[in-house]
Amino acid sequence: MAHFIDRRLNSKKKSTVNRQRFLRRYKQQIKKAMSDAISKRGVTDIEKGEKVSIPTRDISEPIFGQGPGGNRERVLPGNDRFVPRDRIERPQGGSGGSGEGEASDSGEGEDEFVFSISKDEYLDLLFEDLELPNLKKNTLDKLTEYKTYRAGYTSDGVPTNINVVRSLRQSLARRIAMNAGKKRELRALQAELERIEGSEPVDKAALKEVAQQIKSLQKKIAATPFIDTFDLRFNNFVKRPVPTSKAVMFCLMDVSGSMDQATKEMAKRFYILLYLFLTRTYENIDVVYIRHHTQAKEVDEHEFFYSQETGGTIVSSALKLMQEIIADRYPPDQWNIYAAQASDGDNWADDSPQCSDILSNNLLPLLRYYTYIEITHRPHQTLWHEYEKLVATYDSFAMQRIKTVEDIYPVFRELFRRQAA
């Protein structure tokens, strides 16, 4: 039996192993608590991680206890207010207790276990079970994925990778090389010893000298170690890139005058969440930002999230610009192309059918997935009704509605949930 003691350094005197075990065991409760808490914080506020509280009853575990045993009778003082199976109310007020904790003054309360999770743990739980749908392996580029392969042997390594056969073979070769000359000399001395012993008269002085030489050689041969650190050989492993996928995400956002500040903030939160998901899950994925009112413009990340613009709304201008960028930079046979569009649904009535035509005839056949979110409390307008026709025709098109900040994360998970194989 082997015992392994984990002596890795833990930050701030925390047990990393126990912490990871706790997160695995209560993952569902933690994810539910995070879903409730995410609507109360900014999506970009991730540097401090998150404080999560879960009811104590959800983390309680069954335990074995030693009962009193036997049959016992107890007499308890009664009263004229209760009958069997009545529930005794919790005492009102918390100031009369003698304990040191804080009691509830309303008569109702629930103990909670509160703990903090780090930034990395927060993001891991936030985006677990999410993925880009229909991601296919087109070419070896951008998204770096590796697979481990055997690559011979090396003289350095960890004990788990030691190759016993190779090490013993190296040990045997070393001992043969070191002792071959000594053994030849030993055989010659032994033959000389036999010759002296068979001669008449026996030369005792020569016999003694040869015997001492034989003993010295045997001692030197026996002193050669059976195995040395020089003999150890370890299995060598290297990581090689494997065929994977190139992906690009187009982010289209309406910044026209009909998008009030609250609506723009919700759109920004959705896209920030999308940006964190992409950069966290997929390394070096391309993200193209397109803002539009009556005209569309490709912008950088900072301008996309923070610049202010007003004007009318022509959604087709963004779709046409996206089509031009795809033709210029992202061949569909080499790239997995995705798009996410956010709008309040306001658009010129005669432009909405044109948007539907551009998507159905030019874009959707090239895309892996297209998501449309409409952020509004108002009844749906022509753009939504035109897009509804695409949902029935294309499996790669999805649309959702967001009314409040609390809807952002559930809608995001619905759009990018991991599909069954």
Side-chain angles (χ1 to χ4, degrees):
M1 179 180 295
H3 297 275
F4 295 91
I5 300 176
D6 188 356
R7 298 190 183 277
R8 291 175 295 180
L9 296 178
N10 299 310
S11 60
K12 298 182 181 180
K13 298 182 180 179
K14 296 178 180 178
S15 173
T16 301
V17 177
N18 291 338
R19 181 179 181 84
Q20 292 172 351
R21 186 184 299 114
F22 175 83
L23 293 178
R24 288 195 302 268
R25 182 175 300 172
Y26 302 108
K27 182 179 293 183
Q28 296 303 321
Q29 292 92 326
I30 295 172
K31 290 177 68 174
K32 183 180 184 301
M34 284 180 54
S35 299
D36 297 337
I38 193 172
S39 61
K40 303 176 184 178
R41 62 178 288 178
V43 179
T44 56
D45 186 20
I46 60 174
E47 296 298 331
K48 297 181 291 184
E50 177 66 59
K51 285 189 176 180
V52 177
S53 61
I54 56 180
T56 303
R57 66 173 182 270
D58 289 344
I59 63 173
S60 60
E61 297 182 359
I63 59 175
F64 290 99
Q66 184 175 0
N71 296 324
R72 297 191 305 166
E73 294 184 0
R74 299 179 62 189
V75 178
L76 301 177
N79 55 69
D80 57 357
R81 292 189 303 149
F82 298 103
V83 297
R85 296 187 178 87
D86 277 353
R87 296 179 64 88
I88 301 176
E89 296 182 359
R90 184 187 296 270
Q92 299 294 323
S95 59
S98 59
E100 297 180 354
E102 296 181 1
S104 171
D105 58 359
S106 61
E108 298 291 337
E110 186 176 81
D111 294 334
E112 290 190 344
F113 176 71
V114 181
F115 66 99
S116 297
I117 57 177
S118 66
K119 169 185 173 181
D120 291 334
E121 292 169 343
Y122 173 73
L123 292 177
D124 288 340
L125 292 170
L126 192 66
F127 300 127
E128 188 182 40
D129 300 330
L130 300 182
E131 66 179 3
L132 290 178
N134 308 321
L135 188 65
K136 295 185 178 180
K137 296 180 178 180
N138 288 332
T139 184
L140 177 63
D141 194 11
K142 290 295 181 182
L143 300 184
T144 306
E145 294 182 4
Y146 295 94
K147 187 175 181 180
T148 302
Y149 292 89
R150 287 284 302 273
Y153 307 95
T154 179
S155 57
D156 297 320
V158 296
T160 54
N161 290 339
I162 191 170
N163 189 293
V164 177
V165 175
R166 281 278 176 170
S167 299
L168 292 177
R169 185 183 300 176
Q170 185 69 22
S171 171
L172 178 61
R174 175 185 55 81
R175 286 183 281 116
I176 291 175
M178 293 181 64
N179 295 330
K182 296 184 181 69
K183 288 183 177 180
R184 284 195 300 267
E185 186 178 355
L186 178 61
R187 287 193 295 269
L189 290 173
Q190 289 174 341
E192 179 66 17
L193 181 65
E194 293 177 359
R195 187 189 65 79
I196 295 174
E197 289 177 343
S199 63
E200 290 291 343
V202 177
D203 189 348
K204 294 183 178 181
L207 182 65
K208 183 178 180 180
E209 182 180 357
V210 172
Q212 289 178 348
Q213 292 178 0
I214 290 175
K215 186 176 180 180
S216 176
L217 275 176
Q218 289 176 338
K219 187 176 181 179
K220 290 181 180 180
I221 293 173
T224 304
F226 179 78
I227 193 165
D228 191 80
T229 54
F230 174 80
D231 306 325
L232 297 180
R233 292 295 179 267
F234 302 86
N235 296 324
N236 189 33
F237 299 93
V238 297
K239 290 184 177 180
R240 301 174 186 170
V242 295
T244 182
S245 305
K246 292 195 298 184
V248 55
M249 172 64 75
F250 284 85
C251 297
L252 290 69
M253 183 165 64
D254 182 5
V255 293
S256 61
S258 62
M259 294 272 289
D260 57 23
Q261 190 61 33
T263 304
K264 289 181 180 180
E265 287 299 324
M266 283 192 284
K268 289 177 182 178
R269 286 196 177 198
F270 176 84
Y271 279 118
I272 290 173
L273 192 62
L274 176 61
Y275 176 77
L276 292 175
F277 164 63
L278 295 175
T279 54
R280 178 75 178 179
T281 311
Y282 302 95
E283 184 180 356
N284 298 326
I285 190 170
D286 281 11
V287 183
V288 178
Y289 301 101
I290 298 177
R291 295 165 59 93
H292 73 89
H293 38 87
T294 55
Q295 296 180 347
K297 177 184 177 183
E298 182 181 2
V299 297
D300 58 16
E301 175 187 336
H302 185 271
E303 185 176 355
F304 182 81
F305 287 120
Y306 299 110
S307 67
Q308 302 290 334
E309 294 186 26
T310 59
T313 307
I314 301 180
V315 177
S316 62
S317 62
L319 299 178
K320 291 177 181 178
L321 178 58
M322 175 181 169
Q323 185 179 350
E324 294 174 2
I325 295 174
I326 291 175
D328 183 44
R329 305 203 304 257
Y330 302 103
D333 59 336
Q334 300 179 17
W335 290 82
N336 290 281
I337 305 174
Y338 297 85
Q341 178 186 355
S343 172
D344 62 347
D346 188 32
N347 191 30
W348 286 5
D350 58 348
D351 186 61
S352 296
Q354 186 178 0
C355 295
S356 179
D357 291 339
I358 293 175
L359 281 171
S360 60
N361 298 325
N362 301 330
L363 289 178
L364 287 179
L366 308 179
L367 303 182
R368 300 291 185 205
Y369 199 55
Y370 190 100
T371 63
Y372 171 69
I373 59 167
E374 190 166 290
I375 309 172
T376 183
H377 289 274
R378 302 172 300 176
H380 296 303
Q381 302 185 47
T382 57
L383 186 62
W384 179 275
H385 297 308
E386 288 292 336
Y387 278 0
E388 279 184 322
K389 303 174 184 177
L390 300 176
V391 174
T393 307
Y394 294 93
D395 295 334
S396 59
F397 186 89
M399 55 193 300
Q400 293 285 337
R401 183 178 186 176
I402 294 178
K403 292 183 179 180
T404 62
V405 175
E406 289 78 6
D407 298 333
I408 295 176
Y409 184 60
V411 166
F412 180 81
R413 290 195 62 88
E414 177 65 23
L415 292 174
F416 293 100
R417 69 181 185 275
R418 180 169 295 171
Q419 299 175 341

